[in-house]
Amino acid sequence: MTPIIRSTNDKAFAEKLIRQNMSAYYEQLDMRWNTALFDKQWDELDSYELVINASPVGLLCINHDEAAYYIRELQIDQKWQRQGLGTTAIRYTEETAQQSGIRLLRLRVFCINPAIALYERMGFRVRKTEGGTHYMEKRID
């Protein structure tokens, strides 16, 4: 099942999905949701929704500098996880980076997040670990 990936301004959907998916990690790591930080970052990122049957089921937020594209959020509704949507979103980011002439992707992920397996399968490697977070990157050929 291939989703439509389209630009979005639906901040309410994004915040709800992120909070649903990340709440267990935040609790485990004794972290608190920071609405002001979310609002600031939302305005700075290129945000996309993954849509199946006219319903948003995922979120991809990216940005870049001259060196790399950064996946800042990749969230898939729990009912739609493990169906290839994360892989599709990563491939979309790779294609976007390549079209810009950038050959490096980077992301951060909590060390306790099982999505690490997806990122490693997609060719990302841990470059450093700090404060319970892996900093991962992938070269695009």
Side-chain angles (χ1 to χ4, degrees), residues 68-113:
Y69 260 76
Y70 299 85
I71 297 174
R72 300 296 187 184
E73 290 291 345
L74 177 51
Q75 303 289 339
I76 307 298
D77 184 292
Q78 292 174 359
K79 294 180 296 249
W80 291 92
Q81 291 177 3
R82 302 197 186 292
Q83 297 184 44
L85 302 180
T87 298
T88 300
I90 292 169
R91 288 196 179 121
Y92 178 86
T93 306
E94 288 175 3
E95 291 166 12
T96 302
Q98 283 182 311
Q99 290 168 5
S100 298
I102 294 175
R103 299 282 184 252
L104 185 64
L105 296 183
R106 290 182 172 148
L107 59 81
R108 294 179 303 191
V109 61
F110 290 132
C111 297
I112 58 174
N113 190 327

Side-chain angles (χ1 to χ4, degrees), residues 11 15 33-44:
K11 189 168 138 182
E15 184 173 13
W33 178 257
N34 184 331
T35 300
L37 180 61
F38 172 78
D39 289 344
K40 180 181 183 304
Q41 290 177 340
W42 180 257
D43 292 335
E44 298 171 352

Side-chain angles (χ1 to χ4, degrees), residues 2-63:
T2 303
I4 295 168
I5 299 178
R6 64 183 181 205
S7 186
T8 185
N9 292 316
D10 191 346
K11 189 168 138 182
F13 167 75
E15 184 173 13
K16 180 181 176 191
L17 181 60
I18 294 166
R19 290 182 79 162
Q20 282 175 343
N21 284 358
M22 301 304 289
S23 64
Y25 304 116
Y26 275 46
E27 190 173 312
Q28 202 171 340
L29 298 168
D30 196 30
M31 296 174 66
R32 304 279 176 265
W33 178 257
N34 184 331
T35 300
L37 180 61
F38 172 78
D39 289 344
K40 180 181 183 304
Q41 290 177 340
W42 180 257
D43 292 335
E44 298 171 352
L45 300 175
D46 296 325
S47 299
Y48 303 89
E49 59 187 5
L50 286 75
V51 180
I52 303 268
N53 300 328
S55 296
V57 298
L59 174 71
L60 171 67
C61 297
I62 59 178
N63 67 349

Side-chain angles (χ1 to χ4, degrees), residues 118-135:
L118 165 66
Y119 301 139
E120 288 177 335
R121 216 171 32 252
M122 296 293 299
F124 285 84
R125 298 293 168 249
V126 174
R127 293 298 172 213
K128 79 174 182 177
T129 301
E130 188 174 280
T133 300
H134 287 318
Y135 292 73

